[in-house]
Amino acid sequence: MEHKIADLPNGKTNGAHPEIHELDASKLTITLADPSARAVPDEITANSGNETICTDHMISCTWSHTSGWATPELKPLGPISLHPTASVLHYATECFEGLKAFRGFDGKLRLFRPNLNANRMLMSTLRISLPGFNPAELEKLIAALVRVDGAKWLPASRPGSFLYLRPAIIGTQAQLGVQAPKEALLFITLSFMPRLDAAVGGMKLHTNPEDMVRAWVGGFGYAKVGANYGPSLLATAEAKERGFGQILWLYGPEGYCTEAGASNFFLVWRAKESEGGKLQIITAPLDDKLILDGVTRRSVVALAKERLAGEVEVVERKYTIDEVLEADKEGRIVEAFAAGTAYFVTPVSLIHHRGQDVVIPMANGDAGVYTNKLKGWMKDIMYGNEQHPWGVVIDEA
């Protein structure tokens, strides 16, 4: 459903409140940094330290319940100022998005389905009582930042490279008390990010401890809010100490498989002979709002349905870890992978659950056939090897 600003809480622009301004990218003001002040590091150097390396500029825009959205600004990157009693610091009134800008092999700059990120960010803001906005305007602001910093930080001399975009909205009202914030800040940064899908041998998953869950039905697992991530760090750190890459989050006494870390999880298996024995790509459903509607997930599902039709059946349903263990025992598991913006499409080589190991077949230590096909199709769209509506070209003129 397409939302109009006037329909959204905290986002009225017409009628009885003509003074309440909507987010308007056409009003963007630009203050450029000195281009010679900072050199662009290579990818290895940029990702080798403990600090995220951002580009020269950022975008910011404030909001208040009395006047709506202020004029957005593209300005030199710098710190933001918050009062110690700011809402975000106490009540987790914060949401964000993550997407990448790609330098194609044809020399063009692209975003991958940015409209989906903008729409999802609106959904997240409304879930935690932050201000509404027109997603198309956020998409324009994202493109503006990429347009300004792309030539220097993602040059045509580095085809096949990418940078990471992080739009975020935080509640900034300096007043303690559990309430919807009356002031907020939107900001967007562009930064380096390591390639997380290149690990040799695949990702190893450890199921979550029995006393921890990532999300729950009726909660906010479907929204991209910081409160989904902080509580998961303890289990993830413990798993990494044991040599595993991420947690496979299970839900409920049934042990439903949901997400692999912060990524969506896919399993390729053959159904039981009693159920037809079809080759299936199975992943958790979205209907109970337990997991994130990932852009990579949505794209993988669409491509698999379109390009693997008749070969593989795509199934979105609840399935349990016991079903996975049974399929492993019966030799029906073909391959597995995690999919998300950060990890892209990463093969999974092992699942450890309560003392049992499920070893996922790997072709010579590489991803499986279907994992590679889906990853290849996605990569071709992102980097311009395939001209596709999902690959949105940024005009650098």
Side-chain angles (χ1 to χ4, degrees):
M1 178 180 178
E2 181 179 354
H3 295 280
K4 296 186 182 299
I5 296 299
D7 298 332
L8 301 176
N10 301 327
K12 295 181 179 178
T13 60
N14 298 307
H17 300 279
E19 76 284 0
I20 305 295
H21 302 290
E22 64 184 271
L23 184 64
D24 187 349
S26 70
K27 296 179 180 178
L28 179 68
T29 64
I30 299 176
T31 304
L32 296 178
D34 178 356
S36 63
R38 300 172 64 209
V40 180
D42 60 70
E43 287 188 54
I44 295 176
T45 303
N47 295 314
S48 61
N50 295 319
E51 178 184 354
T52 297
I53 303 298
C54 293
T55 61
D56 288 334
H57 299 93
M58 64 186 293
I59 285 179
S60 68
C61 187
T62 60
W63 173 89
S64 76
H65 79 294
T66 56
S67 58
W69 289 100
T71 299
E73 301 175 87
L74 188 151
K75 59 187 181 181
L77 178 75
I80 59 175
S81 178
L82 288 174
H83 194 278
T85 61
S87 173
V88 63
L89 301 177
H90 302 272
Y91 308 111
T93 50
E94 177 269 351
C95 66
F96 63 93
E97 270 301 322
L99 64 159
K100 292 173 180 174
F102 304 90
R103 178 60 74 181
F105 291 102
D106 58 356
K108 296 180 180 179
L109 268 180
R110 285 179 176 81
L111 299 175
F112 183 77
R113 310 187 78 180
N115 61 307
L116 298 185
N117 295 95
N119 289 333
R120 187 173 64 186
M121 189 159 178
L122 171 63
M123 178 270 297
S124 297
T125 63
L126 300 182
R127 177 62 181 85
I128 54 174
S129 299
L130 287 170
F133 56 87
N134 186 333
E137 298 304 305
L138 175 62
E139 189 177 346
K140 292 173 186 175
L141 292 175
I142 290 169
L145 180 58
V146 174
R147 185 177 298 113
V148 169
D149 278 353
K152 174 181 174 181
W153 291 83
L154 204 57
S157 60
R158 294 185 183 181
S161 57
F162 67 84
L163 292 174
Y164 181 76
L165 283 148
R166 169 52 59 87
I169 299 181
I170 61 175
T172 56
Q173 182 184 4
Q175 183 176 0
L176 296 178
V178 182
Q179 59 185 311
K182 296 179 180 179
E183 296 176 359
L185 173 68
L186 160 69
F187 60 92
I188 308 170
T189 58
L190 182 61
S191 66
F192 284 93
M193 170 181 275
R195 296 178 184 271
L196 301 177
D197 62 305
V200 177
M203 179 189 293
K204 297 180 180 180
L205 302 178
H206 194 298
T207 56
N208 57 279
E210 293 185 68
D211 60 349
M212 292 187 187
V213 295
R214 189 201 73 87
W216 55 93
V217 174
F220 41 84
Y222 66 97
K224 204 164 181 68
V225 298
N228 273 329
Y229 297 87
S232 72
L233 300 180
L234 177 60
T236 303
E238 292 176 349
K240 288 185 175 182
E241 287 179 358
R242 300 189 187 108
F244 297 89
Q246 290 290 340
I247 294 289
L248 176 59
W249 292 100
L250 308 179
Y251 179 71
E254 302 86 355
Y256 292 120
C257 298
T258 63
E259 295 193 325
S263 302
N264 296 115
F265 178 65
F266 290 80
L267 195 64
V268 184
W269 66 10
R270 289 199 175 277
K272 295 180 180 180
E273 288 299 327
S274 60
E275 299 172 353
K278 291 182 179 180
L279 188 63
Q280 298 178 333
I281 296 177
I282 187 167
T283 193
L286 301 174
D287 53 12
D288 55 8
K289 292 187 175 183
L290 184 64
I291 67 170
L292 193 71
D293 181 6
V295 176
T296 310
R297 175 198 184 279
R298 186 185 290 206
S299 304
V300 164
V301 168
L303 287 172
K305 287 181 176 180
E306 174 192 340
R307 302 185 183 189
L308 297 174
E311 183 178 355
V312 182
E313 180 183 18
V314 179
V315 178
E316 299 175 76
R317 71 162 175 87
K318 294 180 179 180
Y319 66 101
T320 67
I321 189 64
D322 285 341
E323 289 182 75
V324 175
L325 295 173
E326 181 183 30
D328 177 55
K329 183 178 179 181
E330 296 173 357
R332 293 188 286 108
I333 294 179
V334 177
E335 57 193 81
F337 60 92
T341 300
Y343 279 90
F344 189 28
V345 178
T346 298
V348 171
S349 59
L350 183 142
I351 301 169
H352 180 83
H353 176 68
R354 314 291 188 257
Q356 300 181 66
D357 284 340
V358 175
V359 179
I360 311 294
M362 300 280 285
N364 299 318
D366 193 8
V369 172
Y370 297 104
T371 304
N372 269 335
K373 280 186 177 181
L374 291 162
K375 184 175 184 177
W377 291 331
M378 295 268 288
K379 190 174 181 180
D380 283 344
I381 295 170
M382 291 169 171
Y383 290 104
N385 288 334
E386 177 184 344
Q387 302 303 310
H388 195 285
W390 291 353
V392 179
V393 176
I394 301 299
D395 181 8
E396 296 183 80

